[in-house]
Amino acid sequence: MKLITGLSLLTLSCTVLAQQNTDSSFNPASKRAIELTKKTILVDTHIDVPYRLEHKWEDVSQAAGGDFDYPRAVQGGLNAPFMSIYIPAGLEKTGGSYELANKLIDYVEAIVGRAPDKFAIADSVQDVKDHFAAGKMSLPMGMENGSPIEGKLENLKHFYQRGVRYITLAHSQSNHISDSSYDLRRQWQGLSPFGKELITAMNNIGMMIDVSHISDDAFYQVMALSKTPVIASHSSLRKYTPGFERNMDDNMLLALKKNGGVIQINFGSSFVIASAGAWGDQFKAKRKELAKQNGEESQMVKDFRKAYLAKNPYPFATIAQVLDHIDHVVKLIGIEHVGIGSDYDGVGDSLPIGLKDVASYPNLVQGLLDRGYSEADITKILSGNVLRVWQQVELYALTH
C-alpha cells in the first residue's frame, strides 16, 4: 500500500512494540502482521473524529491528539475509517440535530480539503478500492443517531447526497425512529411507525442500517423488515458482559447470520469485559453520592476521579479479550460476519492494553495470526465482510 511510503517496517515495529504496556499475553506485531495490514484494505466502521473536532479543532492530517490522526493511521494500516457523525441524544428534544449533522459533515470535507493528497471522501465500495489503489485514505461517513432525519424522508436523501452511508437508528435515548438499549422508557416497543417506514427507505436509497445502540425489540423488527444485510457498527458481545443490552447476545448473532449482516467489534473495555462496566457503574454511584453531600462544584467532586483511580485502578481489557469476542462470533455464525468498529475517539481512556490508538491494528492482526487465523480470514475481518455488506446494499438500491 502506498500510504506507508517513507515509513520503514522497523519504525512501525518500534511503534507497536512501544504500546505493549503490561499485558503479559500480548505479543507485539511481527513483520508479517505489519505487512498484512499494509497490503490489505482496513475498514474501521466507527471513529468519532468529527465530534472531537467540534470540541477542539485540530489538523488531523498531521500528528495530533486523540486516538486518530493521519500519521498514526498510516502506521496502523488504516485506510478506510468511517467518520462518525455523532449527534447527542438530547438534541432530539431541544432541536439542532440537523444543523449539527451538517456541521460535522463539513468538518470531514474540511479534512479532505486541507489534505487532498492524503484523504478522499468515499461514497461507495468502489471509491474505497480506488482510493486504496491510489494511496489515499478513504473517509466514508456514518451517522450515529438518526435524530437529524427529523421525521422527513427528504432529509434521508439529503444526508445520503452528503456522503452518509449508514445510520445508527438511535443513541442513548429513544428518538422518533427507535427505542434505545440504554433507555428504560420503551416508547415504541421497538421501532416507531416512522422508523419502520425509514427501514424501507434506507434499503431503497442504498443506506446501510446500523443496529448498534437500539433495543432488542427494535433489532428484531429491523431483522424482519430489512431487505438488505445490516451492520452493528460498534458493538461487542453480551456473552462476556451479561446484562449489558448495548452488546449483542447469541440469539441476535444467529439472526444477524440469517440476515447476512456483520458485527463490528467495539474495543472499549466496558464493551469487552464485565469488570470494566462494573467499575464504571460503581464510580458513577460514588461520585453521585459525593456530589449530593458536597455539591457538584466542590473541590472534592472535582478531584474525585483522580483519587478514586488511585485506590481503584481501572480494569483495562486486553487484546486477548477482544480476540475472544471475534472468536465467539466466528465459532457461532462464521468468519463472514465479524469486523472492526473500534469506537476510537468515542470511549475516552478506556481502550485496551495494546489497542490504544489507530497505530495499534497490527497488534490485533498479530493476535489473530497467533490464534491460527489465515491471511484470507483476517482480510475478511479487516474489510472483506463489511465491504460485502455495503456492496449488497448498493446493489439492492440499484435494482429497486
Side-chain angles (χ1 to χ4, degrees):
M1 184 179 69
K2 295 180 182 177
L3 289 173
I4 304 295
T5 301
L7 291 173
S8 69
L9 286 175
L10 177 61
T11 301
L12 291 176
S13 297
C14 290
T15 299
V16 291
L17 182 62
Q19 297 164 352
Q20 190 171 168
N21 291 352
T22 58
D23 179 9
S24 60
S25 67
F26 163 45
N27 291 325
S30 63
K31 180 179 178 180
R32 182 187 176 197
I34 294 167
E35 287 180 335
L36 182 53
T37 62
K38 281 175 56 181
K39 70 181 184 181
T40 304
I41 294 176
L42 199 166
V43 177
D44 187 322
T45 46
H46 200 87
I47 296 184
D48 278 292
V49 168
Y51 197 72
R52 170 185 140 197
L53 299 182
E54 168 73 357
H55 286 280
K56 180 184 178 183
W57 174 260
E58 296 180 282
D59 181 3
V60 296
S61 71
Q62 309 294 329
D67 303 331
F68 173 94
D69 58 39
Y70 180 80
R72 284 179 290 163
V74 169
Q75 290 173 0
L78 176 64
N79 35 62
F82 269 80
M83 296 285 100
S84 172
I85 307 303
Y86 162 66
I87 307 300
L91 294 183
E92 175 83 7
K93 293 182 178 179
T94 64
S97 291
Y98 179 86
E99 292 77 12
L100 178 58
N102 281 289
K103 186 178 181 182
L104 298 184
I105 294 169
D106 288 346
Y107 289 167
V108 179
E109 292 177 345
I111 292 170
V112 175
R114 184 178 291 266
D117 57 322
K118 297 176 180 177
F119 299 107
I121 301 291
D123 292 332
S124 66
V125 173
Q126 191 59 51
D127 281 350
V128 171
K129 293 178 179 179
D130 290 346
H131 299 159
F132 178 76
K136 290 187 179 184
M137 189 174 296
S138 292
L139 296 182
M141 287 179 277
M143 181 182 289
E144 186 179 18
N145 188 357
S147 182
I149 301 301
E150 295 185 340
K152 303 171 185 175
L153 292 181
E154 58 263 35
N155 285 351
L156 172 67
K157 182 179 180 181
H158 167 79
F159 287 116
Y160 182 86
Q161 289 174 337
R162 291 217 63 189
V164 172
R165 287 300 177 268
Y166 76 71
I167 296 176
T168 316
L169 301 179
H171 193 252
S172 57
Q173 298 173 21
S174 297
N175 60 16
H176 70 284
I177 297 168
S178 175
D179 289 336
S180 164
S181 62
Y182 286 116
D183 195 338
L184 296 178
R185 302 162 297 172
R186 301 301 159 100
Q187 179 181 1
W188 306 111
Q189 301 302 308
L191 299 173
S192 71
F194 175 76
K196 293 174 182 178
E197 183 183 358
L198 184 65
I199 297 303
T200 298
M202 289 175 71
N203 283 169
N204 290 341
I205 203 172
M207 184 84 76
M208 287 184 284
I209 298 163
D210 179 15
V211 297
S212 290
H213 279 285
I214 64 176
S215 69
D216 287 9
D217 285 342
F219 168 84
Y220 284 111
Q221 289 170 23
V222 170
M223 292 297 99
L225 290 168
S226 181
K227 303 301 183 184
T228 66
V230 307
I231 63 170
S233 72
H234 58 306
S235 294
S236 296
L237 305 185
R238 216 174 293 176
K239 172 182 172 66
Y240 301 103
T241 57
F244 186 35
E245 189 177 340
R246 173 64 179 78
N247 278 346
M248 295 177 68
D249 66 21
D250 283 3
N251 287 331
M252 297 169 83
L253 292 178
L254 292 169
L256 188 71
K257 178 179 181 178
K258 185 177 180 181
N259 163 267
V262 61
I263 177 172
Q264 304 286 101
I265 298 300
N266 191 313
F267 291 173
S269 290
S270 63
F271 290 81
V272 177
I273 54 174
S275 58
W279 186 98
D281 291 341
Q282 186 177 49
F283 169 81
K284 291 174 187 175
K286 295 284 187 181
R287 188 189 182 284
K288 184 177 180 180
E289 182 181 345
L290 191 67
K292 184 177 181 181
Q293 294 173 353
N294 299 278
E296 186 66 38
E297 298 302 316
S298 69
Q299 194 61 43
M300 289 183 67
V301 172
K302 291 179 180 177
D303 295 340
F304 177 69
R305 181 176 178 83
K306 184 177 180 180
Y308 190 81
L309 277 167
K311 293 183 178 180
N312 306 275
Y314 185 79
F316 291 103
T318 64
I319 288 180
Q321 289 164 325
V322 174
L323 291 167
D324 288 343
H325 286 251
I326 294 174
D327 280 351
H328 184 71
V329 177
V330 172
K331 290 174 183 175
L332 184 67
I333 62 173
I335 190 67
E336 294 81 10
H337 301 284
V338 65
I340 296 171
S342 64
D343 216 348
Y344 280 134
D345 279 322
V347 289
D349 56 2
S350 73
L351 290 158
I353 297 165
L355 291 174
K356 293 298 186 184
D357 63 18
V358 292
S360 304
Y361 299 104
N363 297 335
L364 186 73
V365 170
Q366 184 63 50
L368 292 167
L369 290 169
D370 291 343
R371 293 195 178 199
Y373 285 83
S374 68
E375 291 193 6
D377 283 346
I378 292 171
T379 297
K380 290 180 181 180
I381 294 169
L382 296 184
S383 63
N385 293 333
V386 73
L387 291 180
R388 183 257 309 163
V389 169
W390 189 359
Q391 200 151 44
Q392 287 179 260
V393 170
E394 290 177 337
L395 181 60
Y396 183 90
L398 285 174
T399 56
H400 289 81

